[in-house]
Amino acid sequence: MTASLGEQWAAAYAAKDRDALAGLLADEVDFRGMTPGRHWQARTPVEVVDEIVLRYWLEPSETAELVSVATGGQVGDREHVAYRFRIRNPDGTFIAEQQAYYVVTDGRIDWLRIMCSGASPETVAGPMPDADDIGRACAVPPAAP
């Protein structure tokens, strides 16, 4: 089974694979991201990958391990992927999760929205979720009886 572009994005992100990340994006991409302290915008793969993701979101001193990834199906023409990382840097080990919605045109992502939880110390983050638990913050609660 072939991984979705969202799953490929999460794996390339964790590997800090610049070429793979850029290759998943269309030459013109409508990108918006939200982290705890800032909103981000970009229009090209170079801006997304070099000037945001690998410059600020995963700093050069950090390594990332993809802990879990789950796809959430489609919302209209948009696909969903949620992924959780274990991040290590000189300050310690942290956990962060991102929710991404994206549109694929001609085999590449041309519309991408990412919201990041921010990094929390791993000791505070609790146990790792299984694939069924990741992304629950975005789920619609069941209707009251």
Side-chain angles (χ1 to χ4, degrees):
M1 181 177 197
T2 303
S4 70
L5 290 187
E7 292 167 305
Q8 292 176 50
W9 173 269
Y13 189 147
K16 296 170 81 170
D17 186 338
R18 187 236 174 260
D19 293 336
L21 288 168
L24 292 168
L25 300 174
D27 293 338
E28 188 172 317
V29 61
D30 181 353
F31 173 82
R32 303 282 186 278
M34 186 170 66
T35 56
R38 182 172 170 186
H39 293 122
W40 307 81
Q41 282 183 250
R43 300 294 299 173
T44 69
V46 168
E47 291 173 337
V48 174
V49 176
D50 296 339
E51 298 176 21
I52 297 173
V53 173
L54 297 180
R55 183 174 183 191
Y56 292 105
W57 288 9
L58 277 179
E59 297 178 9
S61 67
E62 295 178 322
T63 60
E65 171 192 354
L66 189 59
V67 174
S68 57
V69 60
T71 56
Q74 290 190 253
V75 179
D77 66 343
R78 296 172 183 160
E79 296 185 51
H80 172 255
V81 64
Y83 42 96
R84 187 173 283 207
F85 296 115
R86 177 175 289 115
I87 300 166
R88 290 181 177 87
N89 64 35
D91 295 325
T93 304
F94 302 86
I95 296 295
E97 182 175 299
Q98 293 187 345
Q99 302 286 325
Y101 295 90
Y102 60 98
V103 174
V104 176
T105 303
D106 297 326
R108 293 167 76 193
I109 298 169
D110 64 357
W111 186 93
L112 178 60
R113 300 296 186 268
I114 297 177
M115 183 166 62
C116 183
S117 66
S120 295
E122 187 171 32
T123 56
V124 176
M128 290 292 99
D130 62 25
D132 293 333
D133 289 332
I134 192 165
R136 297 245 186 225
C138 200
V140 176

